[in-house]
Amino acid sequence: MTHKAKKVVIITEKLILDQVLKIVEAAGATGYTVTSAGGKGSRNVRSEARTTVVEAFSNVKIEVIVGDATAAERIATEVADTCFGNYSGVTYLQDVEILRPHKFTRTS
Amino acid sequence: MTHKAKKVVIITEKLILDQVLKIVEAAGATGYTVTSAGGKGSRNVRSEARTTVVEAFSNVKIEVIVGDATAAERIATEVADTCFGNYSGVTYLQDVEILRPHKFTRTS
Amino acid sequence: MTHKAKKVVIITEKLILDQVLKIVEAAGATGYTVTSAGGKGSRNVRSEARTTVVEAFSNVKIEVIVGDATAAERIATEVADTCFGNYSGVTYLQDVEILRPHKFTRTS
């Protein structure tokens, strides 16, 4: 049997990873996953070579699973408001089904 | 408040990354994320060692968010039709919820 | 036209990648994708530095697409039961839409 939960995905510059993770942890998330990523956003200069942009891998993709949509939306909004004025980034939510809901709730 | 959108995921050989990104950009996507990946597809030789296949990281995972299902399906179909006859790859769509829809629409 | 399928995501220690992939293959999956990942789980020591945990990239993210929810849930449950007593890890399911369902069904 599975339980519904929300995943917040944040893709942004590696430079501000620590700042983003502080927001994620302050919101009560019990864990997160980070992968190295390259890419192009709506703000990138068009003339830049495609492979150069991708191969720099100067972005990070952060994934956080939280129990409910409200917490997920709060993290996404706070990261966007705090960080995406000065740094490029994108954030979105996805539905997920988890096996053990207690792992995603802080018990302190 | 969030808005519904579609994510196209394409996993294929690193060799044809540029070719795939050209299709993605021509379809009007304003951005994409690329990560390095290993793995095994339905076409891989079975006898190959599991860890060798994975550790080569000779694949890429490309993620593109677009505003509607029609655009997403068009990208997935065109990549599959153009590239997956000669190169191994897989593509699928996922529902996502985004915060700022204008970032995913080309305004030119 | 797309077809509904399920994606199983498993994030765990790189050490047991082979053990997890054996479970995935035994369950009849025709392919999988592996990416290198860092992160923090509900079990991590809090005092550990955030960037150290992330930059070690000692985790792997394994993604497997299967045709139906039952197969997906069976893989997730078996990996959790077999591996997550001794190793940290998390697993969840997601809905996906695929183009070519025959690629995700073993024909042997």
Side-chain angles (χ1 to χ4, degrees):
Chain A
M1 210 187 69
T2 60
H3 305 261
K4 287 185 184 307
K6 281 279 178 186
K7 180 161 84 163
V8 189
V9 180
I10 302 153
I11 297 147
T12 190
E13 300 178 43
K14 200 172 283 181
L15 269 174
I16 57 163
L17 173 60
D18 206 66
Q19 188 180 345
V20 173
L21 293 180
K22 274 180 195 158
I23 294 171
V24 167
E25 290 183 1
T30 57
Y32 48 77
T33 301
V34 179
T35 45
S36 198
K40 188 181 151 181
S42 58
R43 214 188 303 206
N44 279 76
V45 179
R46 294 250 183 130
S47 59
E48 219 170 329
R50 210 173 283 125
T51 46
T52 312
V53 171
V54 169
E55 276 162 18
F57 282 105
S58 56
N59 293 339
V60 278
K61 181 182 177 187
I62 302 151
E63 293 167 285
V64 188
I65 291 177
V66 291
D68 63 286
T70 310
E73 220 171 302
R74 199 174 49 233
I75 291 173
T77 304
E78 194 173 340
V79 167
D81 289 353
T82 311
C83 307
F84 296 171
N86 295 310
Y87 297 90
S88 61
V90 69
T91 180
Y92 57 86
L93 310 185
Q94 286 187 298
D95 290 324
V96 300
E97 295 160 63
I98 56 175
L99 296 179
R100 301 181 292 177
H102 67 273
K103 289 199 72 169
F104 300 96
T105 312
R106 187 172 285 174
T107 53
S108 65
Chain B
M1 209 186 69
T2 60
H3 305 261
K4 289 186 183 305
K6 281 279 179 187
K7 180 161 84 163
V8 189
V9 180
I10 302 152
I11 297 147
T12 190
E13 299 177 45
K14 199 171 285 181
L15 268 174
I16 57 164
L17 173 60
D18 206 67
Q19 189 180 345
V20 173
L21 293 179
K22 273 181 196 156
I23 294 171
V24 166
E25 291 183 0
T30 57
Y32 48 77
T33 301
V34 179
T35 44
S36 199
K40 188 182 150 180
S42 57
R43 212 187 304 207
N44 279 75
V45 179
R46 293 249 182 130
S47 58
E48 219 170 329
R50 210 175 283 126
T51 46
T52 312
V53 172
V54 169
E55 276 161 18
F57 283 104
S58 56
N59 293 338
V60 279
K61 180 182 177 187
I62 302 151
E63 293 168 285
V64 188
I65 291 177
V66 293
D68 64 286
T70 310
E73 219 169 305
R74 198 173 52 232
I75 291 173
T77 304
E78 194 173 341
V79 168
D81 289 353
T82 312
C83 307
F84 296 171
N86 294 311
Y87 297 90
S88 61
V90 68
T91 179
Y92 57 86
L93 311 185
Q94 287 187 297
D95 290 324
V96 300
E97 296 160 62
I98 57 175
L99 297 179
R100 301 181 292 177
H102 67 274
K103 289 199 71 168
F104 301 97
T105 313
R106 187 172 285 175
T107 53
S108 65
Chain C
M1 209 188 69
T2 60
H3 305 262
K4 287 185 184 306
K6 282 278 178 186
K7 179 162 82 162
V8 189
V9 180
I10 301 154
I11 297 148
T12 190
E13 300 177 44
K14 200 171 284 181
L15 269 174
I16 57 164
L17 173 59
D18 206 67
Q19 188 180 346
V20 173
L21 293 179
K22 273 180 197 159
I23 294 171
V24 166
E25 291 183 359
T30 56
Y32 49 77
T33 301
V34 179
T35 45
S36 198
K40 188 181 149 180
S42 57
R43 213 187 306 205
N44 279 75
V45 180
R46 293 247 182 130
S47 58
E48 219 170 329
R50 210 175 282 126
T51 46
T52 312
V53 172
V54 168
E55 277 163 17
F57 283 105
S58 55
N59 293 338
V60 279
K61 180 182 177 186
I62 302 150
E63 293 168 285
V64 189
I65 291 176
V66 292
D68 63 286
T70 309
E73 220 170 304
R74 199 174 50 232
I75 291 173
T77 304
E78 193 173 339
V79 168
D81 289 352
T82 310
C83 306
F84 295 172
N86 294 310
Y87 298 90
S88 61
V90 68
T91 180
Y92 56 85
L93 311 184
Q94 286 188 297
D95 290 325
V96 300
E97 295 160 62
I98 57 176
L99 296 179
R100 301 181 292 178
H102 67 274
K103 288 199 72 169
F104 301 96
T105 312
R106 187 173 285 173
T107 52
S108 65

